[in-house]
């Protein structure tokens, strides 16, 4: 359920309706950013990574958390490799 | 011999001149004046002749049809090989023009490729047009010109054709049928039934470009991407390949993509086919479209890609032969034939797991889940 | 692709599999050899598991049960019939996600209705349907609202926009459903055979992690909210197994790069502004579940397709032969169903699990049939 794909906000199309352009692997599409606004200025979202579902950004991707998850997997493996 | 003869003669001459003027006018090529295709352009009358003479013949370098058919000397063809190859395909695409091509060039490339993957040298094409009333004449001219150019560049001739006009709403702007004739060199026989376990599967480049380009060009999904259709004639690439190595089977990967062809092969050879997922070349933009819409590049259509099966010992030579040709620079070994799981295609993932690769049930549709 | 390829790294996957194996070896002696059943609630996980062949990497004692989290699969026959009835009404443009086109109603599907002349369009986003309404003022444009809490906010925000713009020819046929009542109904089923859960990552972006606590507290099952890439799924399985081995049952969040404890408040607000729970909603394969569906608030009555169109609104029983309920509860493997692969195939689906590529049976049929063959014949599943 709920196919979602990471994309990067590359432009704001219409600040009033929180419409922006998102790039997914070199493909661009207009997306509604209303659910990921922080503060009043959508322009602040340019450069942010978000998860796109049916043309709506549903959450911002937390780069630190992503790195932490990957680190954890790495550590799990190392612990296991040890013995 | 008497005096009154002179005015009669003058009158006669004047009539002659007028007749000549009318005939000259009648036979003069006229530009089509209308902006859009109308019923009259298919009515068999003057308007239709104008359409043929103004749009079709110049685009196709004045086709050679005599009376109702094109005629060829059998001896010329026999010099090229022992088997005649004959194929037909009908082209229906929305939109009519898209990045990397249009319905016209696609109708030429597609039929050339159908001949080429049998090993044939493509020679002649026919062109059947079904026009919907209201199709802009300029667009038709552009498409026919592109069609003629595609044929010229590929060294084939469009030699006969037919035009019909249907009422508005009875067709989608323009359908094109092209049939093609070619000659297969003596001794060359490729067929999925010749596949043997251990054979290696190769493709000449990135998969899914055409399907992705069309999905984007339709505009309904409001996607923008630099991805272009791969529409191209493959006969020269095929010739280079079959001259370099023995090829067991070959197919162009159109609708249904790679998945459709490998499943057909597995079925008709009653052998298993195994695709190595990480080695399948896919452009990042095509991957992006697929991730976004929940599609698989192996199910998307191509118009300039083929799958070839060669004995394992010839795999590297086959790869080199393809990579030397501009249409094969991204060629890759993508799988192999196996005696395990006859009739079933599996795909080996990067995780060392395998799963079944099936044909798509319907058409590739964007999904949300 | 960033945030995709890093989570598809095969060496890391091997390390996770080794971790899972070593965790499984730490189970109490009495449990060694007994299956550990883990349900992935979400169809997206089912799809990823089969697409990447993850099940075959796991110890054979771990059995994945494919849950009811595919909104297309659980759409009942009666609602499909209603959709077709709306789509075939005079002057209607009916907009649907591609997933729903082939779902069978009692006589035909939306794809069938389209072939018979209905104007059915596939859209990627509800905003595309609203754009069609603006472009075709003389037509009535109906959007087929489908999906869990991930998708409901987009329908809600589109309706709010339609309201602001005063678009009068746009309607929504809401079939949105909510995950918590469905999970509760599953857990209350006496015959549920599931030891732990992989939770739906994208639903959780919206609702957060809090709403799942009753599962750990009341039903004592481990619950790990998970992402959808192979490493996400494997790590989540490892986390469930770790809880199981240690005798814990808590809610954990593997998908922390996208899911926060509280979820997305803007999305939640949009849902509550536009929707309210229905008293009951019918699920294919599971029957009627209280407060599990969403309908439009009275303020949006003029956009409600169920009020603007006369729909049959009949409850149509699931086909008798179908054993989807047992499959969804982990009692039967898909290929153990009586009609699997014979009367029921992706071309002619009978039950909910065969309908969408995310359904457990469709996934088995399309991707996993070799696995089931190897399992059934006692062969090693690992290639």
């Amino acid at each position: 359920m709920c196919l979602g794909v990471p994309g990067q906000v590359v432009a704001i199309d219409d600040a009033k309706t929180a419409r922006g352009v998102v790039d997914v692997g070199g493909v661009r599409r207009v997306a509604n950013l209303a659910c990921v606004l922080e503060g009043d200025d959508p322009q602040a979202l340019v450069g942010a990574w978000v998860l796109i579902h049916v043309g709506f950004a549903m959450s911002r991707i937390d780069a630190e958390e992503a790195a932490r998850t990957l680190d954890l997997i790495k550590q799990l493996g190392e612990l296991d490799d040890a013995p | 011999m008497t005096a009154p003869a002179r005015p009669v003669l003058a009158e006669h001459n004047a009539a002659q001149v007028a007749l000549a003027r009318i005939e000259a006018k009648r036979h003069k090529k006229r530009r089509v004046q209308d902006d859009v295709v109308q019923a009259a352009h298919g009515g068999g009358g003057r308007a239709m002749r104008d359409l043929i003479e103004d749009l079709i013949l110049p685009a196709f370098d004045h086709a050679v049809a005599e009376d109702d058919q094109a005629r060829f000397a059998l001896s010329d063809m026999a010099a090229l090989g022992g088997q005649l190859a004959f194929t037909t395909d009908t082209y229906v695409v929305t939109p009519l023009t898209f990045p990397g091509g249009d319905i016209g060039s696609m109708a030429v490339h597609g039929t050339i490729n159908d001949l080429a993957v049998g090993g044939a040298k493509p020679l002649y094409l026919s062109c059947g047009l079904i026009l919907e009333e209201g199709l802009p004449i300029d667009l038709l001219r552009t498409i026919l010109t592109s069609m003629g150019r595609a044929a010229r560049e590929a060294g084939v001739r469009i030699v006969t054709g037919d035009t019909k006009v249907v009422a508005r709403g009875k067709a989608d702007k323009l359908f094109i049928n092209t049939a093609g004739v070619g000659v297969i060199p003596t001794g060359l026989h490729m067929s999925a039934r010749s596949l043997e376990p251990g054979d290696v599967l190769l493709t000449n480049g990135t998969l899914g470009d055409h399907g992705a380009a069309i999905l984007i060009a339709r505009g309904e999904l409001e996607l923008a991407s630099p991805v272009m259709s791969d529409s191209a004639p493959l006969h020269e690439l095929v010739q280079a390949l079959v001259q370099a190595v023995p090829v067991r089977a070959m197919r162009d990967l159109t609708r249904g993509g790679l998945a459709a062809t490998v499943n057909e092969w597995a079925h008709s050879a009653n052998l298993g086919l195994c695709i190595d997922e990480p080695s399948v070349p896919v452009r990042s933009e095509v991957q992006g479209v697929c991730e976004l819409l929940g599609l698989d590049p192996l199910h998307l259509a191509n118009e300039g890609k083929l799958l070839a099966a060669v004995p394992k010992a010839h795999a590297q030579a086959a790869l080199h032969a393809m990579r030397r040709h501009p249409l094969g620079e991204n060629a890759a070994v993508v799988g192999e034939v196996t005696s395990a799981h006859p009739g079933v295609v599996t795909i080996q993932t990067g995780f060392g797991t395998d799963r079944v690769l099936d044909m798509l049930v319907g058409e590739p549709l964007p999904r949300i889940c | 692709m960033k945030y995709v390829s890093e989570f598809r790294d095969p060496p890391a996957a091997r390390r996770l599999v080794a971790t899972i194996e070593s965790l499984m070896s730490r189970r109490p002696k009495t449990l060694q050899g007994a299956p550990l059943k883990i349900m992935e609630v979400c169809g997206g996980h089912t799809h990823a598991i089969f697409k990447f062949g993850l099940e075959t990497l796991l110890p054979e004692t771990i059995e994945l049960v494919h849950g009811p989290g595919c909104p297309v699969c659980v759409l009942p026959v009666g609602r499909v019939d209603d959709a077709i009835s709306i789509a075939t009404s005079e002057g209607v443009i009916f907009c649907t996600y591609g997933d729903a086109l082939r779902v069978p109603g009692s006589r035909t599907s939306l794809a069938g209705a389209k072939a018979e002349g209905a104007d059915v369009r596939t859209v990627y986003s509800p905003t595309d349907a609203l754009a069609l309404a603006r472009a075709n003022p003389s037509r009535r444009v109906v959007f087929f609202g489908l999906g869990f809490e991930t998708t409901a906010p987009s329908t809600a925000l589109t309706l709010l926009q339609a309201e602001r713009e005063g678009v009068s020819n746009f309607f929504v046929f809401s079939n949105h459903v909510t995950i918590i009542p469905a999970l509760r109904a599953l857990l209350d089923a006496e015959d549920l055979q599931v030891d732990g859960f992989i939770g739906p990552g994208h639903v959780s972006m919206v609702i957060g992690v809090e709403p799942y606590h009753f599962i750990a507290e009341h039903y004592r099952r481990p619950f790990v909210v998970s992402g959808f890439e192979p490493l996400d799924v494997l790590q989540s399985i490892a986390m469930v197994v770790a809880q199981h081995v240690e005798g814990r049952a808590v809610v954990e969040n593997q998908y922390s790069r996208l899911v926060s404890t509280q979820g997305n408040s803007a999305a939640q607000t949009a849902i509550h502004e536009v929707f309210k729970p229905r008293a009951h909603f019918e699920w294919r394969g599971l029957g009627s579940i209280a407060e599990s569906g969403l309908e439009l608030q009275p303020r949006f009555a003029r956009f409600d397709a169920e009020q603007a169109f006369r729909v049959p609104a009949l409850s149509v029983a699931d086909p008798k032969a179908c054993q989807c309920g047992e499959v969804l509860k982990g009692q039967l493997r898909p290929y153990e169903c009586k009609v699997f692969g014979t009367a029921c195939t992706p071309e002619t689906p009978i039950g909910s699990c065969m309908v969408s590529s995310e359904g457990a049976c469709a996934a088995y049929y399309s991707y996993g049939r070799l696995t089931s063959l190897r399992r059934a014949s006692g062969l090693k599943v690992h290639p």
Side-chain angles (χ1 to χ4, degrees):
Chain A
M1 121 184 81
C2 319
L3 191 78
V5 53
Q8 189 173 27
V9 180
V10 290
I12 300 303
D13 226 33
D14 178 6
K16 223 169 62 227
T17 56
R19 242 169 45 134
V21 179
V22 177
D23 183 300
V24 177
V27 186
R28 290 178 176 206
R29 165 156 181 136
V30 166
N32 183 309
L33 306 174
C35 288
V36 292
L37 287 179
E38 282 171 12
D40 293 333
D41 186 13
Q43 211 63 42
L45 279 173
V46 174
W49 283 82
V50 294
L51 191 105
I52 302 295
H53 172 69
V54 300
F56 287 70
M58 295 310 304
S59 188
R60 288 183 68 154
I61 300 178
D62 185 327
E64 280 174 29
E65 285 294 330
R68 213 176 61 85
T69 302
L70 288 170
D71 276 352
L72 243 137
I73 294 172
K74 204 164 162 255
Q75 282 165 25
L76 268 177
E78 279 161 5
L79 281 176
D80 235 74
D81 291 342
Chain B
M1 332 287 156
T2 49
R6 202 179 153 85
V8 171
L9 189 65
E11 207 170 297
H12 176 78
N13 282 348
Q16 280 274 349
V17 169
L19 184 66
R21 202 184 298 141
I22 291 168
E23 283 307 303
K25 185 77 178 169
R26 278 186 64 219
H27 288 281
K28 190 168 180 231
K29 280 186 201 159
R30 298 196 312 185
R31 270 185 81 83
V32 173
Q33 299 294 325
D34 311 290
D35 293 336
V36 297
V37 169
Q38 297 176 12
H41 291 118
R46 181 80 220 205
M48 182 160 144
R49 206 181 78 193
D50 290 347
L51 185 84
I52 293 170
E53 290 185 346
D54 179 23
L55 268 76
I56 300 179
L57 294 184
F60 296 171
D61 295 334
H62 303 279
V64 299
E66 294 175 45
D67 296 324
D68 265 348
Q69 68 284 131
R71 298 172 189 176
F72 316 102
L74 286 176
S75 54
D76 292 348
M77 291 182 147
L80 296 168
Q83 281 184 84
L84 187 76
F86 176 39
T87 186
T88 185
D89 206 342
T90 303
Y91 298 84
V92 175
V93 64
T94 304
L96 294 175
T97 64
F98 43 82
D102 55 63
I103 188 172
S105 54
M106 193 174 136
V108 170
H109 295 154
T111 296
I112 287 177
N113 292 345
D114 283 344
L115 293 169
V117 292
K121 178 179 170 57
L123 297 172
Y124 306 110
L125 299 182
S126 70
C127 168
L129 299 172
I130 296 176
L131 314 175
E132 185 194 14
E133 267 181 314
L135 176 72
I137 291 287
D138 283 346
L139 178 61
L140 179 60
R141 196 186 297 273
T142 304
I143 287 167
L144 292 170
T145 305
S146 154
M147 200 170 172
R149 189 187 314 121
R152 259 191 316 282
E153 285 171 1
V156 301
R157 295 172 68 197
I158 300 171
V159 291
T160 184
D162 176 56
T163 305
K164 295 284 187 296
V165 175
V166 297
R168 200 170 177 119
K170 303 293 180 189
D172 188 9
K173 300 182 189 72
L174 168 62
F175 300 152
I176 301 181
N177 173 277
T178 47
V181 170
V183 175
I184 301 174
T186 306
L188 188 62
H189 181 76
M190 295 186 283
S191 156
R193 287 192 199 86
S194 318
L195 292 177
E196 286 183 20
D199 286 353
V200 164
L201 305 171
L202 301 100
T203 181
N204 60 311
T206 53
L207 296 186
D209 298 6
H210 178 75
I214 294 295
L215 270 176
I216 292 167
R218 279 192 193 141
E220 292 157 5
L221 303 169
E222 302 205 19
L223 300 175
S225 149
V227 71
M228 305 219 312
S229 168
D230 59 348
S231 183
L234 295 171
H235 58 299
E236 286 176 359
L237 176 82
V238 170
Q239 271 164 31
L241 184 61
V242 297
Q243 278 161 17
V245 296
V247 179
R248 295 233 218 255
M250 202 185 293
R251 185 74 68 80
D252 54 335
L253 303 173
T254 54
R255 269 172 309 167
L258 177 81
T261 295
V262 285
N263 274 286
E264 279 169 31
W265 280 11
H267 182 72
S268 57
N270 196 32
L271 286 166
L273 267 65
C274 182
I275 299 296
D276 182 50
E277 195 162 40
S279 7
V280 176
V282 178
R283 279 181 208 286
S284 69
E285 298 89 356
V286 173
Q287 193 62 46
V289 172
C290 286
E291 296 286 344
L292 208 51
L293 305 178
L295 304 174
D296 188 335
L298 302 187
H299 288 140
L300 294 184
N302 308 276
E303 286 296 337
K305 295 294 155 25
L306 56 77
L307 186 72
V310 306
K312 194 172 209 143
H314 297 282
Q316 285 309 310
L319 205 54
H320 288 314
M322 285 216 267
R323 285 186 178 160
R324 269 198 297 275
H325 192 277
L327 293 175
E329 55 187 17
N330 294 317
V333 170
V334 295
E336 61 180 16
V337 180
T338 163
S339 52
H341 50 79
V344 176
V345 180
T346 59
I347 187 153
Q348 189 85 23
T349 72
F351 300 96
T353 58
D354 68 350
R355 62 173 161 90
V356 173
L357 173 65
D358 224 334
M359 286 191 199
L360 197 64
V361 174
E363 51 174 331
L365 288 172
R367 58 183 182 88
I368 59 152
C369 5
Chain C
M1 275 171 66
K2 198 172 175 189
Y3 297 116
V4 174
S5 35
E6 306 96 294
F7 292 90
R8 291 184 185 174
D9 177 43
R14 281 195 291 276
R15 287 201 298 273
L16 278 167
V17 169
T19 305
I20 293 169
E21 280 167 351
S22 95
L23 281 167
M24 284 298 280
S25 68
R26 282 166 44 201
R27 290 171 93 195
K29 285 247 159 24
T30 49
L31 283 178
Q32 292 287 341
L36 175 65
K37 293 197 177 188
I38 302 174
M39 173 182 278
E40 84 276 3
V41 176
C42 173
H45 286 137
T46 309
H47 193 82
I49 286 163
F50 281 102
K51 184 167 189 292
F52 295 103
L54 301 182
E55 199 165 17
T56 60
L57 288 174
L58 299 173
E60 300 210 2
T61 39
I62 294 185
E63 202 176 291
L64 298 176
V65 177
H66 318 298
C70 160
V72 176
C73 301
V74 297
L75 195 64
V77 176
R79 299 295 287 186
V80 178
D81 289 350
D82 291 348
I84 292 168
S85 152
I86 294 170
T88 50
S89 301
E90 188 64 31
V92 164
I93 299 176
F94 193 85
C95 302
T96 176
Y97 295 125
D99 316 51
L101 262 187
R102 294 181 48 257
V103 180
S106 48
R107 186 184 71 82
T108 184
S109 62
L110 282 166
K114 178 170 184 264
E116 288 167 12
D119 191 349
V120 177
R121 315 267 182 108
T122 306
V123 292
Y124 166 70
S125 169
T127 56
D128 299 349
L130 182 59
L132 272 171
R134 284 190 214 105
N136 296 277
S138 64
R139 309 278 300 273
R140 292 185 291 175
V141 175
V142 182
F143 176 69
F144 196 11
L146 281 173
F148 284 86
E149 285 94 332
T150 326
T151 320
S154 56
T155 307
L157 287 164
T158 304
L159 270 172
L160 286 165
Q161 194 176 339
E163 186 189 45
R164 268 198 309 277
E165 293 178 12
V167 180
S168 60
N169 63 327
F170 180 68
F171 304 88
V172 168
F173 178 44
S174 172
N175 289 272
H176 286 292
V177 284
T178 49
I179 194 72
I180 298 296
L183 280 173
R184 205 184 285 277
L186 259 184
L187 284 157
D188 280 336
E190 283 172 11
D191 42 5
L192 179 77
Q193 297 179 8
V194 171
D195 303 301
F197 291 90
I198 302 292
H202 289 156
V203 163
S204 309
M205 293 187 301
V206 173
I207 68 171
V209 177
E210 299 264 272
Y212 302 115
H213 281 298
F214 74 99
I215 297 172
E217 282 157 21
H218 184 71
Y219 296 92
R220 306 293 308 151
R221 307 291 215 293
F223 192 98
V224 178
V225 171
S226 172
F228 294 84
E229 297 302 335
L231 295 194
D232 292 322
V233 175
L234 290 172
Q235 188 181 25
S236 302
I237 290 172
M239 289 162 79
V240 170
V241 175
Q243 286 195 39
H244 167 75
V245 168
E246 292 156 19
R248 293 184 296 135
V250 291
V251 177
E252 291 178 304
N253 180 11
Q254 181 276 337
Y255 206 23
S256 56
R257 63 183 184 276
L258 275 159
V259 174
S260 67
T261 311
Q262 303 300 328
N264 187 319
S265 62
Q268 290 168 13
T269 306
I271 291 179
H272 292 135
E273 192 170 354
V274 173
F275 294 110
K276 63 183 172 71
R278 293 173 192 269
H280 284 277
F281 194 73
E282 192 98 19
W283 294 55
R284 222 187 255 234
L286 293 177
S288 177
I289 301 175
E291 306 218 311
S292 65
L294 295 174
E295 63 184 337
L296 300 189
Q297 295 274 15
R299 176 180 140 199
F300 293 89
R302 67 194 162 100
F303 295 102
D304 191 344
E306 285 174 85
Q307 298 189 31
F309 295 84
R310 231 179 302 175
V311 295
L314 294 176
S315 172
V316 182
D318 289 337
K320 276 211 175 60
C322 160
Q323 295 180 288
C324 283
E326 285 101 311
V327 172
L328 290 176
K329 284 180 231 155
Q331 294 159 358
L332 282 186
R333 291 169 190 270
Y335 59 86
E336 290 167 344
C337 168
K338 288 193 293 281
V339 289
F340 176 83
T342 52
C344 186
T345 67
E347 289 85 0
T348 54
I350 293 179
S352 60
C353 304
M354 192 61 97
V355 170
S356 132
S357 65
E358 292 209 336
C361 296
Y364 249 99
Y365 186 96
S366 308
Y367 293 149
R369 52 182 185 252
L370 282 184
T371 317
S372 52
L373 183 73
R374 286 175 191 144
R375 276 231 165 98
S377 55
L379 290 175
K380 201 166 158 47
V381 175
H382 296 254

